[in-house]
């Protein structure tokens, strides 16, 4: 499980980095911190909305994204591990399942409030919301590995599993 867990962390870093970047981009454009103040951003910021939605779905472990591969690796790693007793495996899987259930509730409600919320923006300067080439380039540069790892995870495994197992063999 150890090697799979460390590879999972590397896969999730792409999603987390992209979501934090897009949250910073949204703050840079709007200067708002609270979800209650945001709303209706899908229409003035369609490109950021699209990338943010795709990455949120990747965070929810949607099949075809790196989050799905990461969650699947954790479940298989726990089930096939000889290190843990059956009750420990059941407890870990139960806690992971609770996380898998709570994450969509939070993530989808956040998307709904930010992009289709109750407060609609009435600003005359529509260029204020425009996502420039810098934001799109960085977002797509992070999105490509998320989708690529989800479609073909063996590419990452070929580079990392041997090295991670060598590192873990020093500790276990």
């Amino acid at each position: 499980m150890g090697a799979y867990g460390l590879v999972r962390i590397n896969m999730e870093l792409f999603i987390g980095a992209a979501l934090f970047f897009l949250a910073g981009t949204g703050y840079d454009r709007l200067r708002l911190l609270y979800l209650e103040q945001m709303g209706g951003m899908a229409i003035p910021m369609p490109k950021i909305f699209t990338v943010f939605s795709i990455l949120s779905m990747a965070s929810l472990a949607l099949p075809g994204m790196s989050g799905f591969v990461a969650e699947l690796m954790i479940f298989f790693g726990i089930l096939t591990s000889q290190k843990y007793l059956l009750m420990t495996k059941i407890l870990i899987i139960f806690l992971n399942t609770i996380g898998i259930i709570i994450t969509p509730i939070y993530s989808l409600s956040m998307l709904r409030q930010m992009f289709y919320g109750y407060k609609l923006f009435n600003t005359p300067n529509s260029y204020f919301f425009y996502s420039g080439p810098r934001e799109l380039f960085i977002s797509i540069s992070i999105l490509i590995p998320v989708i690529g790892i989800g479609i073909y995870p063996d590419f990452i495994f070929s580079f990392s599993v041997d090295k991670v197992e060598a590192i873990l063999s020093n500790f276990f």
Side-chain angles (χ1 to χ4, degrees), residues 99-115:
I100 289 173
I101 292 170
I102 291 174
T103 300
I105 293 169
Y106 168 74
S107 189
L108 293 175
S109 64
M110 176 196 59
L111 279 174
R112 186 196 70 218
Q113 180 62 35
M114 280 179 65
F115 295 107

Side-chain angles (χ1 to χ4, degrees), residues 2-4 6 160-171:
Y4 293 120
L6 288 177
S160 60
V161 171
D162 295 334
K163 294 174 180 85
V164 171
E165 285 178 351
I167 291 170
L168 289 176
S169 67
N170 294 333
F171 296 104

Side-chain angles (χ1 to χ4, degrees), residues 1 6 15-16 30 40 42 62 75 81 85 91-92 102 108-110 118 133 136 140 145 148 153-154 157 161 165 168:
M1 181 189 128
L6 288 177
I15 299 170
L30 303 173
L62 187 72
F75 280 119
S81 174
L85 298 173
L91 178 66
I92 292 171
I102 291 174
L108 293 175
S109 64
M110 176 196 59
Y118 304 112
L136 290 176
I140 291 173
D154 287 339
F157 293 147
V161 171
E165 285 178 351
L168 289 176

Side-chain angles (χ1 to χ4, degrees), residues 84-94:
Y84 301 109
L85 298 173
L86 179 62
M87 287 307 293
T88 309
K89 290 179 184 181
I90 291 172
L91 178 66
I92 292 171
I93 290 175
F94 178 73

